[in-house]
Amino acid sequence: MNPKLAKLPPRGVAGNILASDTGAATHIASAPFGHALVRAAENNPRIVGLTADLGKYTDIHLFAEKFPERFFQMGMAEQSLIGCAAGMARAGLIPFATTYCVFATRRAYDFIAIGVALGRANVKIIAGLPGLTTGYGGTHQGIEDLALMCSVPNLTVIDPCDATEIEQAIQAIADYDGPVYMRLLRGQVPVVLDPEHYQFEIGKAKMLTEGGDVAIISTGLMTGRALDAAKALDAEGIRASVLHLSTLKPFDRETVEALIGRVPAVVTAENHMQHGGLASAVADLAVDSGLKIRLRRVGIPDCFCDSGSLPYLVDRYSMGATHIAQAAREALH
Amino acid sequence: MNAQSEAISSATQEIRLKETARALRRHVLEMAEIVGQGYVGQGLGISDLLAVLYFREMRYDPKNPSWQDRDRFILSTGHYAIGLYAALAEAGIIPLHEIGTYGTDGSRLEMAAPETTPGVEITGGSLGHGLPQSVGMAIGLRYQGRPSRIFNLLSDGECQEGATWEAAMAGAHYKLGNLYAFIDCNNQQADGPPAAIMNIEPLDKKWEAFGWHTQRIDGNDVAAILGALAAARKVEDRPHAIVLDTLMGKGVATFEQREKNHFIRVGAEEWSVARQQLEERAL
Ligand SMILES: Cc1ncc(C[n+]2csc(CCOP(=O)(O)OP(=O)(O)O)c2C)c(N)n1
């Protein structure tokens, strides 16, 4: 057993393998990606959809039902999925291709790097089950996909926080001419960001709360937990900034640099390994700009994760709001 | 296979294996009920093959699951774990009582079988890994002069993955007579039946064309499985593909009749009916 992991006794709770992690969310939206893609496609006949036998499981079935003639089921063949999407883009279409993070990035990596990214083919890869959002173990948990995708030149990499951001991001990436890898939260998805006040922009980090004691920089679903952590810290008199950085690449250096330059401690929170993703990008930036920062990373350590129910996994790998708050306290001491 | 089992008449043997298959199905239901959902259809569908492999065909030592000269069962479809655990428990490779932990937090019996569990040879579940690794094992064991054979279970859906066919080519190229691939055609994958998702037929002709000794049988017919294995043993210079047409949920009427689904949810009240239907089914 990895000594870095919290030791927890088996709880005997049946693993709720396929449920979405809606946690304590009060607002939920159903299949935000599927609905957003349908809306974008209504205004743009070049948009087509593809999947590799995961239509029902990535919400693109809604698009397939609405536009059957614009939907292409590729079977369980991820290399063919990405290769065909690249070909469709070269033929002038805007393909949205769905599968899970692990199958897109591990099996079809070469097809993404060369077929899609090298020539900037206008392919949108939408990948489900990021990080610890599935109870299956190492085969299904996309824990290093951001590291892989951020390493590919020309690729835009997005890890949205919630239903609001997914809806906005789908329109934005449909309008953007270039290859995109976007993580997907599927099914019942929490609404964390208020659509009246939040506006997604590719490549822009957004300050959600301001505080001068500690900066929490978060991406993906961890932002919901970062906001909860900030509330808990506030009750203790610690004022935290929460900077939500959903575009990992291109990285919003300006905003991050300005923030980490003016707080005494920084916490990163990502639904991904602690290396190769958000924390590494922040650390790189600090070094490049000669900033000395105290950094604590919340993320998955260097291991394949267990299977089990989502609350069990969140505790086991210290990925909850309480862990983010604790990391902030530690960073301050 | 020991001398004693050889001596038993084939009719008696068939009945025993059918009884064993039913025992495996009982275990499958028991496990599925714990999580209330899952791959019960696949587990029930493949129980006949597992009964024949683990209780007639394969050589292994339950006390020493890593015995070097064992025959190896390679589960490519990690999510069929529920069926494999039933066989491992019945065979005494894992304790029978442990199946009560299936799918629960901290259990070794994860819903997709991990290779850290005794009797599980590879971590399947990222589909398309089984056949390449099986080819490698078959080459490696033959190279070392070991008598072991490799029995790989793959699914109809996996016949859409390129890796499967790359390995199929290699298996024939290296004339791996010690390699057996069972393709479970339960006519279902995640989004629907393969014919609607991405046609894979004619599967038997494809395997044949790839250079495999190929048979296509009713995968829920114990006698047919025994017959196919006997025929395969006679061919030593080619790998063996046995395409199995199976019925998802086999043995439990409500699951057989249910609209076919890759991942089924079962109401709490349905389990006692399911158990009863299993016992009522004629062997
Ligand atoms: C490489 C890969 N792609 C996609 C998946 C997701 N997935 C899990 S099961 C499944 C359906 C596969 O169908 P089949 O293998 O025929 O299994 P069955 O429906 O009989 O359980 C899919 C697409 C996967 N596990 N691995």
Side-chain angles (χ1 to χ4, degrees):
Chain A
M1 185 184 292
N2 188 322
K4 285 186 224 146
L5 305 181
K7 285 203 179 58
L8 293 174
R11 288 202 209 148
V13 181
N16 196 358
I17 296 288
L18 286 180
S20 294
D21 176 23
T22 50
T26 46
H27 297 327
I28 304 278
S30 182
F33 161 61
H35 292 296
L37 187 61
V38 166
R39 276 196 298 277
E42 275 164 352
N43 303 317
N44 190 341
R46 291 166 61 211
I47 291 177
V48 293
L50 298 82
T51 192
D53 195 24
L54 286 171
K56 284 192 267 184
Y57 298 83
T58 57
D59 296 345
I60 203 170
H61 65 290
L62 296 174
F63 176 91
E65 284 156 18
K66 184 78 198 249
F67 300 110
E69 75 292 350
R70 289 161 70 176
F71 176 72
F72 302 91
Q73 169 65 263
M74 301 311 298
M76 192 167 62
E78 293 76 13
Q79 298 176 337
S80 170
L81 170 80
I82 301 297
C84 287
M88 289 175 175
R90 288 169 198 273
L93 299 178
I94 306 174
F96 278 72
T98 75
T99 177
Y100 292 159
C101 299
V102 284
F103 307 130
T105 64
R106 292 176 184 166
R107 186 144 315 173
Y109 186 83
D110 183 34
F111 295 76
I112 294 175
I114 304 307
V116 173
L118 188 145
R120 296 182 202 269
N122 195 12
V123 172
K124 320 299 173 184
I125 299 160
I126 309 294
L129 304 191
L132 297 181
T133 53
T134 168
Y136 284 117
T139 56
H140 282 62
Q141 293 157 343
I143 60 173
E144 86 292 18
D145 61 322
L146 295 179
L148 288 167
M149 293 296 99
C150 287
S151 311
V152 179
N154 299 343
L155 197 60
T156 291
V157 180
I158 301 170
D159 188 7
C161 157
D162 73 339
T164 301
E165 191 164 39
I166 288 172
E167 284 176 20
Q168 297 178 355
I170 289 303
Q171 188 60 56
I173 68 175
D175 294 341
Y176 165 74
D177 184 15
V180 176
Y181 175 81
M182 183 174 127
R183 281 177 148 197
L184 170 71
L185 304 170
R186 66 163 189 207
Q188 300 300 108
V189 179
V191 179
V192 174
L193 303 168
D194 178 357
E196 304 282 303
H197 296 108
Y198 183 82
Q199 185 53 53
F200 170 83
E201 290 174 82
I202 295 175
K204 290 274 179 288
K206 300 277 165 158
M207 195 69 85
L208 301 182
T209 62
E210 298 256 14
D213 295 332
V214 59
I216 305 174
I217 306 176
S218 58
T219 186
L221 61 75
M222 294 302 273
T223 292
R225 297 175 193 166
L227 290 168
D228 290 344
K231 266 189 219 138
L233 292 168
D234 195 62
E236 298 165 22
I238 301 172
R239 311 286 171 237
S241 288
V242 175
L243 180 69
H244 173 53
L245 188 141
S246 47
T247 310
L248 277 299
K249 192 178 180 180
F251 192 71
D252 186 351
R253 296 173 71 94
E254 253 171 57
T255 308
V256 174
E257 190 174 339
L259 176 64
I260 63 177
R262 66 180 151 84
V263 290
V266 179
V267 173
T268 55
E270 60 202 302
N271 178 28
H272 183 266
M273 296 182 75
Q274 294 167 9
H275 298 272
L278 175 64
S280 295
V282 170
D284 277 0
L285 174 63
V287 172
D288 291 350
S289 36
L291 290 168
K292 275 211 171 123
I293 61 169
R294 290 173 65 86
L295 174 67
R296 287 287 175 283
R297 303 163 187 243
V298 174
I300 298 161
D302 186 14
C303 65
F304 288 104
C305 299
D306 285 355
S307 70
S309 63
L310 296 179
Y312 171 82
L313 294 175
V314 166
D315 270 5
R316 180 152 172 68
Y317 299 98
S318 304
M319 295 282 285
T322 53
H323 305 104
I324 298 173
Q326 185 53 29
R329 288 182 206 107
E330 285 169 13
L332 281 169
H333 287 124
Chain B
M1 191 185 349
N2 56 35
Q4 193 190 2
S5 65
E6 296 253 55
I8 306 173
S9 79
S10 65
T12 318
Q13 184 172 65
E14 243 176 77
I15 290 176
R16 285 198 183 165
L17 287 170
K18 286 178 182 172
E19 278 164 358
T20 305
R22 176 178 293 179
L24 300 190
R25 291 187 164 98
R26 271 185 212 117
H27 300 330
V28 167
L29 290 183
E30 199 178 317
M31 283 182 269
E33 188 170 356
I34 297 167
V35 288
Q37 56 187 359
Y39 304 110
V40 58
Q42 290 88 329
L44 293 171
I46 207 65
S47 290
D48 299 298
L49 174 71
L50 291 170
V52 173
L53 289 182
Y54 275 87
F55 300 94
R56 161 92 176 109
E57 187 67 19
M58 285 185 5
R59 293 180 320 154
Y60 57 91
D61 176 2
K63 296 282 161 295
N64 180 14
S66 48
W67 173 45
Q68 289 265 25
D69 284 340
R70 70 190 180 282
D71 289 336
R72 286 152 173 83
F73 177 73
I74 308 301
L75 183 69
S76 195
T77 49
H79 62 286
Y80 280 42
I82 190 168
L84 176 58
Y85 297 151
L88 294 177
E90 187 68 20
I93 295 172
I94 57 173
L96 197 52
H97 62 79
E98 196 172 342
I99 66 174
T101 70
Y102 171 71
T104 62
D105 293 339
S107 169
R108 298 194 293 183
L109 306 189
E110 301 179 8
M111 281 184 72
E115 63 196 273
T116 42
T117 301
V120 180
E121 301 277 356
I122 69 162
T123 299
S126 174
L127 297 169
H129 285 246
L131 196 62
Q133 292 208 42
S134 297
V135 166
M137 286 184 204
I139 292 174
L141 292 163
R142 188 180 66 181
Y143 176 75
Q144 294 169 74
R146 296 191 185 281
S148 314
R149 294 167 302 163
I150 306 294
F151 297 93
N152 177 211
L153 175 63
L154 52 151
S155 61
D156 41 8
E158 282 190 289
C159 292
Q160 294 162 350
E161 287 287 356
T164 297
W165 297 105
E166 294 172 28
M169 242 179 299
H173 182 83
Y174 287 104
K175 301 186 169 46
L176 298 175
N178 56 347
L179 175 59
Y180 294 70
F182 298 92
I183 301 96
D184 179 26
C185 293
N186 61 11
N187 203 27
Q188 195 59 211
Q189 54 185 115
D191 278 341
I197 300 304
M198 182 56 65
N199 186 33
I200 52 175
E201 296 293 349
L203 262 192
D204 42 356
K205 294 209 175 77
K206 286 195 170 101
W207 286 93
E208 190 70 47
F210 269 71
W212 288 54
H213 170 241
T214 304
Q215 304 172 74
R216 186 163 193 154
I217 59 170
D218 175 352
N220 292 123
D221 179 346
V222 163
I225 300 170
L226 288 167
L229 284 165
R233 276 196 297 269
K234 293 194 190 114
V235 177
E236 289 177 2
D237 60 348
R238 282 196 287 165
H240 314 279
I242 302 181
V243 180
L244 306 171
D245 289 304
T246 64
L247 183 60
M248 261 191 158
K250 179 72 185 184
V252 176
T254 55
F255 296 154
E256 286 176 0
Q257 288 148 15
R258 233 174 134 123
E259 195 200 336
K260 289 290 170 274
N261 215 330
H262 168 74
F263 186 91
I264 57 179
R265 289 172 210 285
V266 182
E269 69 295 342
E270 291 180 74
W271 293 106
S272 62
V273 178
R275 278 195 300 271
Q276 198 183 337
Q277 287 177 343
L278 175 61
E279 301 308 328
E280 282 166 0
R281 177 65 59 88
L283 274 185

